[in-house]
Amino acid sequence: MAAQWPGWVTGVYWGALECTGTAQGVQGKGARVPVSCAPRVTAIPARWSSALGSILGIPSEKPSDTLGQHPPPVATSKEEQDRLLRGRPDQPHNPKVLRIAIIGAPNAGKSTLSNQLLGRKVFPVSQKVHTTRCKARGVVTHEDTQLIILDTPGLTSPFKAKRHKLEEAMLTDPWDSMKHADLVLVLVDVSDHWTRNSLSKEVLKCLSQFPQIPSVLVLNKVDLLKNKFILLELVTELTEGIVNGKKLEVSSAFKDNSSSSAKSPVQITQTSPPEKGDNTWDNSSDARASESRLGTEEAQQPKHYGPRDLKNMKGWPFFQEIFMLAALHGEEVDTLKRYLLLQAKPGAWEFHSSVLTSQSPQEICNNIIREKILEYLPLEVPYSVIQVTEMWEEGPSGELLIAQKLLVPRKSHMTMLIGRGGKVISRIVQEAGQDLMNVFLCDVRLRLQVEVKS
Ligand SMILES: Nc1nc2c(ncn2[C@@H]2O[C@H](COP(=O)(O)OP(=O)(O)O)[C@@H](O)[C@H]2O)c(=O)[nH]1
Ligand SMILES: [Mg+2]
Protein backbone atom coordinates (compact mmCIF):
# COMPACT_ATOMS: atom_id res chain seq x y z
CA MET A 1 0.00 0.00 0.00
CA ALA A 2 1.35 3.40 -0.90
CA ALA A 3 0.83 6.67 0.92
CA GLN A 4 -1.47 9.41 -0.29
CA TRP A 5 -1.43 13.04 0.55
CA PRO A 6 -2.91 16.03 -1.21
CA GLY A 7 -1.28 17.46 -4.26
CA TRP A 8 1.51 14.97 -4.52
CA VAL A 9 2.16 11.88 -6.55
CA THR A 10 0.92 8.88 -4.61
CA GLY A 11 3.46 7.79 -2.07
CA VAL A 12 6.27 9.57 -3.80
CA TYR A 13 8.11 12.74 -3.12
CA TRP A 14 10.63 13.89 -5.66
CA GLY A 15 13.09 16.05 -3.88
CA ALA A 16 14.65 17.89 -6.77
CA LEU A 17 17.65 19.58 -5.28
CA GLU A 18 19.35 22.29 -7.23
CA CYS A 19 22.82 23.33 -6.20
CA THR A 20 23.93 26.87 -5.76
CA GLY A 21 27.45 28.18 -5.42
CA THR A 22 30.56 26.53 -6.77
CA ALA A 23 33.44 25.04 -4.89
CA GLN A 24 36.84 26.39 -5.75
CA GLY A 25 39.27 23.84 -7.02
CA VAL A 26 36.61 21.19 -7.26
CA GLN A 27 35.29 19.85 -10.49
CA GLY A 28 31.64 19.48 -11.28
CA LYS A 29 28.84 21.87 -11.93
CA GLY A 30 27.34 23.52 -8.94
CA ALA A 31 29.40 21.57 -6.44
CA ARG A 32 29.31 22.86 -2.89
CA VAL A 33 32.05 23.17 -0.39
CA PRO A 34 30.90 21.39 2.74
CA VAL A 35 30.81 23.64 5.76
CA SER A 36 32.76 21.04 7.69
CA CYS A 37 35.74 21.26 5.38
CA ALA A 38 36.92 24.56 6.72
CA PRO A 39 37.91 23.92 10.32
CA ARG A 40 39.27 26.83 12.31
CA VAL A 41 43.01 26.57 12.62
CA THR A 42 44.08 27.16 16.17
CA ALA A 43 46.99 26.29 18.34
CA ILE A 44 49.99 24.09 17.80
CA PRO A 45 52.01 22.29 19.02
CA ALA A 46 49.88 19.35 19.87
CA ARG A 47 50.53 18.83 23.54
CA TRP A 48 47.58 18.40 25.79
CA SER A 49 48.67 21.45 27.64
CA SER A 50 48.39 23.55 24.50
CA ALA A 51 44.82 22.43 23.90
CA LEU A 52 43.97 23.26 27.47
CA GLY A 53 45.92 26.47 27.21
CA SER A 54 43.84 27.60 24.30
CA ILE A 55 40.62 26.90 26.18
CA LEU A 56 41.88 28.75 29.22
CA GLY A 57 43.20 31.61 27.16
CA ILE A 58 46.90 30.87 27.55
CA PRO A 59 48.64 32.18 24.43
CA SER A 60 50.22 29.62 22.16
CA GLU A 61 52.18 29.71 18.94
CA LYS A 62 50.46 30.05 15.61
CA PRO A 63 50.62 27.00 13.39
CA SER A 64 53.36 27.19 10.79
CA ASP A 65 51.24 25.53 8.15
CA THR A 66 47.56 24.97 7.76
CA LEU A 67 45.89 21.72 6.93
CA GLY A 68 43.63 23.41 4.40
CA GLN A 69 42.97 20.90 1.68
CA HIS A 70 40.18 19.66 -0.53
CA PRO A 71 39.39 16.13 0.49
CA PRO A 72 38.45 14.04 -2.55
CA PRO A 73 34.78 13.41 -3.29
CA VAL A 74 33.50 9.85 -3.04
CA ALA A 75 33.06 8.10 -6.40
CA THR A 76 29.38 7.99 -7.37
CA SER A 77 29.52 4.52 -8.90
CA LYS A 78 30.18 1.33 -7.03
CA GLU A 79 32.41 0.10 -9.85
CA GLU A 80 34.66 3.16 -9.65
CA GLN A 81 34.83 2.96 -5.85
CA ASP A 82 35.60 -0.78 -6.03
CA ARG A 83 38.32 -0.12 -8.59
CA LEU A 84 39.90 2.46 -6.27
CA LEU A 85 39.63 0.18 -3.26
CA ARG A 86 40.90 -2.95 -4.98
CA GLY A 87 43.63 -1.35 -7.07
CA ARG A 88 47.17 -0.81 -5.88
CA PRO A 89 47.38 2.43 -3.89
CA ASP A 90 49.65 5.18 -5.15
CA GLN A 91 52.72 5.65 -2.91
CA PRO A 92 54.92 8.66 -2.23
CA HIS A 93 58.69 8.22 -1.77
CA ASN A 94 58.59 7.74 1.98
CA PRO A 95 55.02 6.83 2.85
CA LYS A 96 53.86 7.00 6.45
CA VAL A 97 50.72 5.55 7.94
CA LEU A 98 48.72 5.58 11.18
CA ARG A 99 45.65 3.47 11.88
CA ILE A 100 43.46 5.13 14.47
CA ALA A 101 40.60 3.49 16.37
CA ILE A 102 38.10 5.89 17.90
CA ILE A 103 36.29 4.36 20.83
CA GLY A 104 33.90 5.71 23.42
CA ALA A 105 30.33 5.54 24.62
CA PRO A 106 27.50 5.81 22.09
CA ASN A 107 26.85 9.49 21.29
CA ALA A 108 30.26 10.73 22.45
CA GLY A 109 30.79 12.22 18.98
CA LYS A 110 33.01 9.58 17.35
CA SER A 111 31.44 9.89 13.91
CA THR A 112 31.35 13.69 14.13
CA LEU A 113 35.06 13.75 14.93
CA SER A 114 35.83 11.25 12.16
CA ASN A 115 33.97 13.42 9.65
CA GLN A 116 35.81 16.53 10.81
CA LEU A 117 39.19 14.84 10.52
CA LEU A 118 38.23 13.70 7.04
CA GLY A 119 36.95 17.14 6.04
CA ARG A 120 33.79 15.67 4.55
CA LYS A 121 30.81 13.99 6.14
CA VAL A 122 30.85 10.31 5.23
CA PHE A 123 29.74 8.80 8.53
CA PRO A 124 26.21 9.16 9.87
CA VAL A 125 25.74 11.27 12.97
CA SER A 126 22.71 11.52 15.21
CA GLN A 127 21.53 12.29 18.70
CA LYS A 128 20.07 8.81 18.94
CA VAL A 129 22.44 6.18 20.18
CA HIS A 130 23.66 3.42 17.90
CA THR A 131 23.48 5.36 14.64
CA THR A 132 26.77 3.79 13.59
CA ARG A 133 26.03 0.12 13.21
CA CYS A 134 29.06 -1.18 11.43
CA LYS A 135 32.68 -0.27 11.27
CA ALA A 136 33.91 1.68 8.29
CA ARG A 137 37.16 3.35 7.45
CA GLY A 138 37.86 6.94 6.66
CA VAL A 139 41.08 7.95 4.94
CA VAL A 140 42.99 11.21 5.31
CA THR A 141 45.90 11.61 2.93
CA HIS A 142 48.10 14.58 3.71
CA GLU A 143 51.42 14.99 1.91
CA ASP A 144 53.29 11.68 2.47
CA THR A 145 51.11 10.55 5.37
CA GLN A 146 47.93 8.51 5.46
CA LEU A 147 45.65 8.38 8.49
CA ILE A 148 43.19 5.53 8.48
CA ILE A 149 40.31 6.23 10.82
CA LEU A 150 38.24 3.37 12.13
CA ASP A 151 34.85 4.75 13.12
CA THR A 152 33.30 2.23 15.45
CA PRO A 153 29.86 1.64 16.91
CA GLY A 154 29.80 2.82 20.53
CA LEU A 155 31.26 0.43 23.03
CA THR A 156 28.39 -1.20 24.77
CA SER A 157 27.76 -4.11 27.11
CA PRO A 158 25.93 -7.32 26.14
CA PHE A 159 23.11 -6.26 28.47
CA LYS A 160 22.59 -2.89 26.73
CA ALA A 161 23.02 -4.53 23.33
CA LYS A 162 20.13 -6.84 24.13
CA ARG A 163 17.97 -3.93 25.22
CA HIS A 164 18.59 -2.05 21.95
CA LYS A 165 18.27 -5.24 19.88
CA LEU A 166 21.75 -4.70 18.48
CA GLU A 167 23.43 -7.15 16.18
CA GLU A 168 26.30 -9.23 17.50
CA ALA A 169 28.69 -7.28 15.27
CA MET A 170 28.12 -4.12 17.28
CA LEU A 171 29.68 -5.77 20.30
CA THR A 172 32.66 -7.23 18.49
CA ASP A 173 33.48 -4.45 15.99
CA PRO A 174 35.20 -2.00 18.35
CA TRP A 175 37.38 -4.84 19.62
CA ASP A 176 38.18 -5.79 16.08
CA SER A 177 39.16 -2.21 15.26
CA MET A 178 41.52 -2.17 18.21
CA LYS A 179 43.35 -5.20 16.83
CA HIS A 180 44.25 -3.19 13.73
CA ALA A 181 45.02 0.12 15.41
CA ASP A 182 48.38 1.83 15.93
CA LEU A 183 46.77 4.38 18.22
CA VAL A 184 43.46 4.66 20.01
CA LEU A 185 41.47 7.82 20.67
CA VAL A 186 39.16 7.55 23.65
CA LEU A 187 36.34 10.03 23.27
CA VAL A 188 34.43 11.34 26.28
CA ASP A 189 31.37 13.60 26.10
CA VAL A 190 32.11 16.22 28.76
CA SER A 191 28.57 17.60 28.60
CA ASP A 192 27.11 14.35 29.90
CA HIS A 193 26.91 14.78 33.68
CA TRP A 194 26.13 11.12 34.19
CA THR A 195 29.07 9.59 32.38
CA ARG A 196 31.83 12.18 32.15
CA ASN A 197 33.54 11.53 35.50
CA SER A 198 34.69 8.04 34.67
CA LEU A 199 35.53 5.88 31.71
CA SER A 200 32.99 3.16 31.09
CA LYS A 201 33.92 -0.38 32.07
CA GLU A 202 33.82 -1.34 28.37
CA VAL A 203 36.37 1.35 27.50
CA LEU A 204 38.64 0.37 30.39
CA LYS A 205 38.36 -3.28 29.40
CA CYS A 206 39.27 -2.40 25.84
CA LEU A 207 42.29 -0.33 26.89
CA SER A 208 43.59 -2.95 29.31
CA GLN A 209 43.15 -5.68 26.71
CA PHE A 210 45.47 -3.82 24.33
CA PRO A 211 48.00 -2.16 26.65
CA GLN A 212 50.63 -1.98 23.91
CA ILE A 213 48.55 0.42 21.78
CA PRO A 214 49.24 4.09 22.63
CA SER A 215 46.09 5.82 23.78
CA VAL A 216 45.00 9.44 23.72
CA LEU A 217 42.14 10.96 25.72
CA VAL A 218 39.87 13.33 23.80
CA LEU A 219 37.40 15.40 25.77
CA ASN A 220 34.65 16.36 23.33
CA LYS A 221 31.75 18.84 23.35
CA VAL A 222 33.62 21.46 25.38
CA ASP A 223 31.39 24.04 23.67
CA LEU A 224 28.52 22.85 25.87
CA LEU A 225 30.37 23.54 29.10
CA LYS A 226 29.58 26.84 30.74
CA ASN A 227 32.28 26.35 33.32
CA LYS A 228 35.43 25.26 31.52
CA PHE A 229 37.28 24.74 34.81
CA ILE A 230 35.40 21.49 35.26
CA LEU A 231 37.73 20.15 32.56
CA LEU A 232 40.62 20.18 35.01
CA GLU A 233 38.72 18.00 37.44
CA LEU A 234 37.73 15.66 34.62
CA VAL A 235 41.30 15.37 33.37
CA THR A 236 42.44 14.31 36.82
CA GLU A 237 39.63 11.79 37.21
CA LEU A 238 39.86 10.29 33.73
CA THR A 239 43.64 9.88 33.91
CA GLU A 240 43.86 8.90 37.59
CA GLY A 241 46.15 11.92 37.76
CA ILE A 242 48.83 10.52 35.46
CA VAL A 243 49.56 11.41 31.85
CA ASN A 244 52.45 10.01 29.87
CA GLY A 245 53.94 8.50 33.00
CA LYS A 246 53.95 11.79 34.87
CA LYS A 247 51.86 12.86 37.80
CA LEU A 248 49.58 15.82 37.28
CA GLU A 249 49.15 18.57 39.76
CA VAL A 250 46.12 20.71 39.29
CA SER A 251 45.69 23.79 41.39
CA SER A 252 43.78 26.99 41.05
CA ALA A 253 45.65 30.25 41.38
CA PHE A 254 42.40 31.79 42.61
CA LYS A 255 42.94 30.03 45.89
CA ASP A 256 46.41 31.50 46.33
CA ASN A 257 45.88 34.95 44.92
CA SER A 258 42.38 35.69 43.77
CA SER A 259 43.16 39.29 42.91
CA SER A 260 45.75 38.39 40.30
CA SER A 261 44.21 38.66 36.87
CA ALA A 262 47.41 38.75 34.85
CA LYS A 263 48.35 35.30 35.99
CA SER A 264 46.78 32.25 34.44
CA PRO A 265 44.06 31.23 36.92
CA VAL A 266 44.95 27.59 36.63
CA GLN A 267 48.09 25.60 36.87
CA ILE A 268 48.50 22.11 35.65
CA THR A 269 51.96 20.76 36.10
CA GLN A 270 53.53 17.41 35.51
CA THR A 271 55.76 16.51 38.42
CA SER A 272 58.27 14.68 36.27
CA PRO A 273 59.99 16.38 33.35
CA PRO A 274 59.32 15.55 29.73
CA GLU A 275 61.82 13.37 27.93
CA LYS A 276 64.93 15.04 26.56
CA GLY A 277 64.57 16.33 23.03
CA ASP A 278 60.79 16.57 23.33
CA ASN A 279 60.51 19.76 21.37
CA THR A 280 56.76 20.01 21.45
CA TRP A 281 56.86 20.49 25.19
CA ASP A 282 59.64 23.04 24.94
CA ASN A 283 57.71 25.01 22.37
CA SER A 284 54.38 24.92 24.06
CA SER A 285 55.17 25.41 27.67
CA ASP A 286 56.64 28.90 27.61
CA ALA A 287 53.58 30.38 29.24
CA ARG A 288 53.56 27.78 31.94
CA ALA A 289 57.18 26.79 32.42
CA SER A 290 57.89 29.49 34.95
CA GLU A 291 54.96 28.32 37.01
CA SER A 292 55.75 24.64 36.81
CA ARG A 293 57.44 22.76 39.55
CA LEU A 294 59.16 19.83 37.99
CA GLY A 295 60.34 16.78 39.89
CA THR A 296 60.93 13.22 38.83
CA GLU A 297 58.87 10.06 38.90
CA GLU A 298 59.23 6.62 37.36
CA ALA A 299 57.05 6.17 34.28
CA GLN A 300 54.83 3.11 34.62
CA GLN A 301 54.18 0.70 31.79
CA PRO A 302 50.59 -0.24 31.03
CA LYS A 303 49.80 -3.68 32.34
CA HIS A 304 46.96 -6.05 31.80
CA TYR A 305 44.31 -5.39 34.42
CA GLY A 306 41.97 -8.10 35.61
CA PRO A 307 38.21 -7.54 36.06
CA ARG A 308 38.75 -6.92 39.77
CA ASP A 309 41.30 -4.14 39.17
CA LEU A 310 39.05 -2.52 36.59
CA LYS A 311 36.13 -2.51 38.99
CA ASN A 312 37.90 0.02 41.17
CA MET A 313 39.27 2.18 38.35
CA LYS A 314 37.59 5.34 37.09
CA GLY A 315 40.27 6.54 34.71
CA TRP A 316 43.21 5.25 32.71
CA PRO A 317 46.68 6.28 33.90
CA PHE A 318 48.46 5.50 30.61
CA PHE A 319 47.17 8.11 28.19
CA GLN A 320 50.02 9.71 26.33
CA GLU A 321 48.15 12.90 25.45
CA ILE A 322 44.94 14.77 26.19
CA PHE A 323 42.96 16.92 23.79
CA MET A 324 39.93 19.05 24.46
CA LEU A 325 37.77 20.01 21.55
CA ALA A 326 34.35 20.59 20.06
CA ALA A 327 34.14 18.22 17.11
CA LEU A 328 30.81 19.61 15.96
CA HIS A 329 32.30 23.04 15.32
CA GLY A 330 35.77 21.83 14.29
CA GLU A 331 37.29 23.58 17.30
CA GLU A 332 40.79 22.26 18.02
CA VAL A 333 40.27 19.41 15.55
CA ASP A 334 43.22 20.64 13.48
CA THR A 335 45.42 20.51 16.59
CA LEU A 336 44.51 16.88 17.02
CA LYS A 337 44.92 16.18 13.32
CA ARG A 338 48.39 17.69 13.29
CA TYR A 339 49.34 15.56 16.27
CA LEU A 340 48.03 12.41 14.56
CA LEU A 341 50.00 13.19 11.40
CA LEU A 342 53.15 13.46 13.53
CA GLN A 343 52.50 10.05 15.10
CA ALA A 344 52.48 8.23 11.74
CA LYS A 345 55.26 5.70 11.23
CA PRO A 346 56.98 4.68 7.98
CA GLY A 347 54.77 2.19 6.16
CA ALA A 348 52.98 1.71 2.84
CA TRP A 349 49.69 3.49 2.24
CA GLU A 350 46.73 1.14 2.37
CA PHE A 351 44.43 3.22 0.20
CA HIS A 352 44.73 5.22 -2.97
CA SER A 353 45.00 8.92 -2.20
CA SER A 354 41.65 9.46 -4.02
CA VAL A 355 39.84 7.29 -1.46
CA LEU A 356 38.01 9.01 1.37
CA THR A 357 36.15 6.04 2.82
CA SER A 358 35.97 2.28 2.47
CA GLN A 359 32.17 2.44 2.28
CA SER A 360 30.40 1.98 -1.04
CA PRO A 361 28.44 4.99 -2.41
CA GLN A 362 25.20 3.12 -1.71
CA GLU A 363 26.20 2.39 1.88
CA ILE A 364 26.93 6.06 2.47
CA CYS A 365 23.57 7.00 0.97
CA ASN A 366 21.69 4.42 3.07
CA ASN A 367 23.42 5.61 6.22
CA ILE A 368 22.69 9.26 5.54
CA ILE A 369 19.00 8.64 4.86
CA ARG A 370 18.82 6.45 7.94
CA GLU A 371 20.48 9.18 9.99
CA LYS A 372 17.69 11.61 9.05
CA ILE A 373 14.98 9.05 9.80
CA LEU A 374 16.60 8.49 13.19
CA GLU A 375 16.74 12.21 13.80
CA TYR A 376 13.09 12.99 13.04
CA LEU A 377 11.16 9.94 14.14
CA PRO A 378 10.52 8.21 17.44
CA LEU A 379 12.83 5.29 18.05
CA GLU A 380 10.45 2.47 17.17
CA VAL A 381 10.10 3.68 13.56
CA PRO A 382 13.70 3.96 12.28
CA TYR A 383 14.71 0.50 13.42
CA SER A 384 11.88 -1.09 11.46
CA VAL A 385 12.46 0.74 8.16
CA ILE A 386 13.85 -1.33 5.29
CA GLN A 387 15.60 0.69 2.59
CA VAL A 388 15.45 -0.60 -0.99
CA THR A 389 17.37 1.31 -3.65
CA GLU A 390 15.41 1.22 -6.90
CA MET A 391 17.43 3.62 -9.00
CA TRP A 392 21.05 4.77 -8.93
CA GLU A 393 22.13 6.31 -12.18
CA GLU A 394 23.64 9.32 -13.84
CA GLY A 395 21.13 11.80 -15.26
CA PRO A 396 21.42 13.65 -18.58
CA SER A 397 23.36 16.57 -17.07
CA GLY A 398 25.71 14.43 -14.99
CA GLU A 399 23.55 14.62 -11.89
CA LEU A 400 23.11 11.57 -9.67
CA LEU A 401 19.56 10.17 -9.65
CA ILE A 402 18.70 8.10 -6.61
CA ALA A 403 15.31 6.55 -5.85
CA GLN A 404 14.77 4.61 -2.69
CA LYS A 405 11.77 2.80 -1.25
CA LEU A 406 11.29 2.93 2.51
CA LEU A 407 9.31 -0.11 3.63
CA VAL A 408 7.64 0.06 7.02
CA PRO A 409 5.66 -2.65 8.86
CA ARG A 410 2.67 -0.49 9.89
CA LYS A 411 0.45 2.18 8.45
CA SER A 412 0.99 4.29 11.55
CA HIS A 413 4.71 4.26 10.84
CA MET A 414 4.05 5.36 7.27
CA THR A 415 1.91 8.26 8.47
CA MET A 416 4.65 9.39 10.84
CA LEU A 417 7.38 9.04 8.24
CA ILE A 418 5.46 11.10 5.70
CA GLY A 419 4.29 13.66 8.23
CA ARG A 420 1.48 16.20 7.89
CA GLY A 421 1.37 17.35 4.29
CA GLY A 422 4.57 15.42 3.59
CA LYS A 423 6.55 17.67 5.90
CA VAL A 424 8.71 14.99 7.48
CA ILE A 425 9.62 13.08 4.34
CA SER A 426 10.37 16.26 2.41
CA ARG A 427 12.70 17.43 5.17
CA ILE A 428 14.49 14.07 5.09
CA VAL A 429 14.85 14.35 1.30
CA GLN A 430 16.15 17.91 1.49
CA GLU A 431 18.72 17.25 4.19
CA ALA A 432 19.88 13.87 2.91
CA GLY A 433 20.16 15.30 -0.62
CA GLN A 434 22.29 18.16 0.64
CA ASP A 435 24.59 15.79 2.53
CA LEU A 436 24.90 13.54 -0.51
CA MET A 437 25.89 16.49 -2.70
CA ASN A 438 28.65 17.27 -0.23
CA VAL A 439 29.84 13.65 -0.30
CA PHE A 440 29.82 13.19 -4.08
CA LEU A 441 30.37 16.83 -5.06
CA CYS A 442 27.77 16.70 -7.80
CA ASP A 443 24.09 17.51 -8.16
CA VAL A 444 21.86 14.88 -6.58
CA ARG A 445 18.19 14.21 -7.20
CA LEU A 446 16.78 12.06 -4.46
CA ARG A 447 13.36 10.42 -4.42
CA LEU A 448 12.00 8.62 -1.39
CA GLN A 449 8.87 6.51 -1.54
CA VAL A 450 7.20 5.22 1.62
CA GLU A 451 5.25 1.98 1.55
CA VAL A 452 3.81 -0.47 4.00
CA LYS A 453 5.56 -3.78 3.59
CA SER A 454 2.95 -6.30 2.48
N1 LIG B 1 27.44 20.50 20.97
C1 LIG B 1 28.16 19.53 20.44
N2 LIG B 1 27.57 18.44 19.95
C2 LIG B 1 28.33 17.47 19.42
C3 LIG B 1 29.74 17.58 19.36
N3 LIG B 1 30.22 16.45 18.78
C4 LIG B 1 29.15 15.68 18.47
N4 LIG B 1 28.01 16.28 18.85
C5 LIG B 1 26.62 15.78 18.70
O1 LIG B 1 26.51 14.57 19.44
C6 LIG B 1 25.58 13.68 18.81
C7 LIG B 1 26.24 12.33 18.62
O2 LIG B 1 27.29 12.44 17.69
P1 LIG B 1 27.84 11.17 16.89
O3 LIG B 1 29.04 11.62 16.14
O4 LIG B 1 26.75 10.49 16.11
O5 LIG B 1 28.27 10.23 18.11
P2 LIG B 1 28.80 8.71 18.08
O6 LIG B 1 27.64 7.85 18.47
O7 LIG B 1 29.88 8.66 19.12
O8 LIG B 1 29.32 8.42 16.71
C8 LIG B 1 25.18 14.36 17.49
O9 LIG B 1 23.94 15.00 17.69
C9 LIG B 1 26.28 15.39 17.26
O10 LIG B 1 25.85 16.51 16.53
C10 LIG B 1 30.36 18.77 19.89
O11 LIG B 1 31.56 18.97 19.87
N5 LIG B 1 29.52 19.71 20.42
MG1 LIG C 1 28.81 6.97 15.32
Side-chain angles (χ1 to χ4, degrees):
M1 187 179 73
Q4 278 197 306
W5 65 92
W8 290 8
V9 187
T10 304
V12 178
Y13 174 70
W14 267 102
L17 290 156
E18 298 304 329
C19 283
T20 53
T22 308
Q24 275 178 350
V26 177
Q27 288 172 359
K29 179 180 140 261
R32 275 193 168 191
V33 183
V35 178
S36 61
C37 103
R40 197 159 65 83
V41 177
T42 48
I44 57 160
R47 293 293 297 201
W48 62 273
S49 42
S50 83
L52 181 67
S54 119
I55 284 163
L56 297 172
I58 299 169
S60 56
E61 292 182 7
K62 282 266 168 282
S64 53
D65 69 318
T66 66
L67 295 173
Q69 88 288 59
H70 287 296
V74 177
T76 53
S77 81
K78 189 172 183 316
E79 294 70 34
E80 171 66 5
Q81 177 75 344
D82 280 352
R83 194 182 61 73
L84 282 170
L85 290 174
R86 276 204 301 262
R88 191 189 282 256
D90 48 342
Q91 299 288 343
H93 269 316
N94 298 305
K96 284 188 247 159
V97 71
L98 187 76
R99 291 167 210 86
I100 305 153
I102 306 186
I103 64 169
N107 239 15
K110 298 177 294 297
S111 300
T112 309
L113 179 62
S114 303
N115 288 332
Q116 287 284 3
L117 289 167
L118 291 170
R120 209 178 286 293
K121 180 178 167 183
V122 297
F123 296 123
V125 167
S126 124
Q127 284 171 19
K128 306 264 170 67
V129 294
H130 306 308
T131 308
T132 307
R133 295 218 143 199
C134 60
K135 66 166 185 266
R137 277 141 210 244
V139 185
V140 175
T141 307
H142 182 73
E143 296 172 354
D144 56 2
T145 303
Q146 191 156 82
L147 303 179
I148 299 164
I149 300 165
L150 308 156
D151 182 33
T152 59
L155 275 170
T156 194
S157 63
F159 171 73
K160 287 185 206 149
K162 207 167 170 193
R163 203 171 59 196
H164 286 274
K165 296 195 189 83
L166 304 176
E167 306 90 78
E168 182 82 348
M170 295 218 19
L171 279 167
T172 54
D173 271 355
W175 292 85
D176 237 41
S177 300
M178 287 291 285
K179 280 187 205 143
H180 300 108
D182 303 313
L183 185 136
V184 57
L185 298 182
V186 177
L187 213 59
V188 173
D189 174 354
V190 295
S191 70
D192 188 330
H193 296 245
W194 295 105
T195 60
R196 67 185 181 189
N197 292 84
S198 60
L199 297 173
S200 71
K201 290 290 161 254
E202 286 81 24
V203 165
L204 284 170
K205 228 159 91 186
C206 212
L207 289 169
S208 73
Q209 200 81 30
F210 301 91
Q212 75 288 1
I213 303 177
S215 56
V216 168
L217 176 65
V218 180
L219 302 182
N220 188 30
K221 308 197 190 179
V222 296
D223 58 308
L224 296 177
L225 284 185
K226 278 207 189 94
N227 175 11
K228 301 277 193 277
F229 288 87
I230 192 92
L231 287 167
L232 303 176
E233 215 173 281
L234 295 182
V235 164
T236 313
E237 282 172 325
L238 297 171
T239 62
E240 306 248 307
I242 299 171
V243 178
N244 205 15
K246 290 141 206 159
K247 217 163 176 185
L248 297 177
E249 271 186 18
V250 180
S251 61
S252 167
F254 284 134
K255 273 189 214 151
D256 308 321
N257 179 7
S258 55
S259 61
S260 164
S261 58
K263 225 177 160 192
S264 159
V266 172
Q267 293 180 22
I268 290 195
T269 57
Q270 294 180 291
T271 54
S272 59
E275 300 82 359
K276 273 215 167 82
D278 189 343
N279 294 329
T280 45
W281 172 272
D282 293 335
N283 292 341
S284 66
S285 60
D286 295 352
R288 295 164 296 279
S290 59
E291 299 179 338
S292 302
R293 283 176 289 115
L294 302 173
T296 49
E297 177 138 326
E298 278 289 295
Q300 278 183 30
Q301 288 301 312
K303 59 167 189 172
H304 184 83
Y305 286 89
R308 217 184 268 163
D309 304 312
L310 293 177
K311 217 170 161 192
N312 299 320
M313 285 170 76
K314 282 176 83 183
W316 181 245
F318 303 106
F319 288 119
Q320 65 174 36
E321 285 289 348
I322 305 171
F323 288 84
M324 301 171 191
L325 46 84
L328 185 65
H329 309 291
E331 273 172 42
E332 288 294 326
V333 173
D334 257 11
T335 310
L336 174 63
K337 189 166 171 178
R338 218 171 255 113
Y339 170 80
L340 295 172
L341 289 167
L342 284 172
Q343 300 305 304
K345 299 278 177 313
W349 285 0
E350 279 183 28
F351 292 93
H352 192 279
S353 54
S354 310
V355 171
L356 192 66
T357 174
S358 61
Q359 300 166 98
S360 74
Q362 282 82 357
E363 264 177 299
I364 298 175
C365 175
N366 283 351
N367 285 337
I368 285 179
I369 293 170
R370 197 165 166 278
E371 166 198 295
K372 308 299 173 199
I373 301 174
L374 271 166
E375 207 62 41
Y376 296 122
L377 290 156
L379 258 192
E380 77 271 15
V381 182
Y383 294 127
S384 63
V385 175
I386 296 172
Q387 297 167 263
V388 183
T389 302
E390 303 215 302
M391 185 203 292
W392 185 287
E393 59 190 48
E394 197 180 311
S397 319
E399 74 274 31
L400 181 59
L401 302 174
I402 305 170
Q404 194 167 93
K405 228 178 219 174
L406 304 176
L407 301 175
V408 291
R410 287 193 201 95
K411 186 151 185 270
S412 60
H413 287 186
M414 183 174 77
T415 314
M416 279 192 266
L417 191 47
I418 290 167
R420 194 183 285 260
K423 225 173 165 179
V424 175
I425 194 74
S426 59
R427 189 164 180 187
I428 291 171
V429 167
Q430 286 289 338
E431 290 185 12
Q434 191 64 60
D435 282 358
L436 291 170
M437 285 194 288
N438 284 338
V439 169
F440 299 119
L441 285 186
C442 69
D443 287 354
V444 172
R445 280 169 175 256
L446 175 65
R447 184 178 70 164
L448 294 179
Q449 183 179 349
V450 187
E451 269 183 33
V452 174
K453 190 170 51 182
S454 49

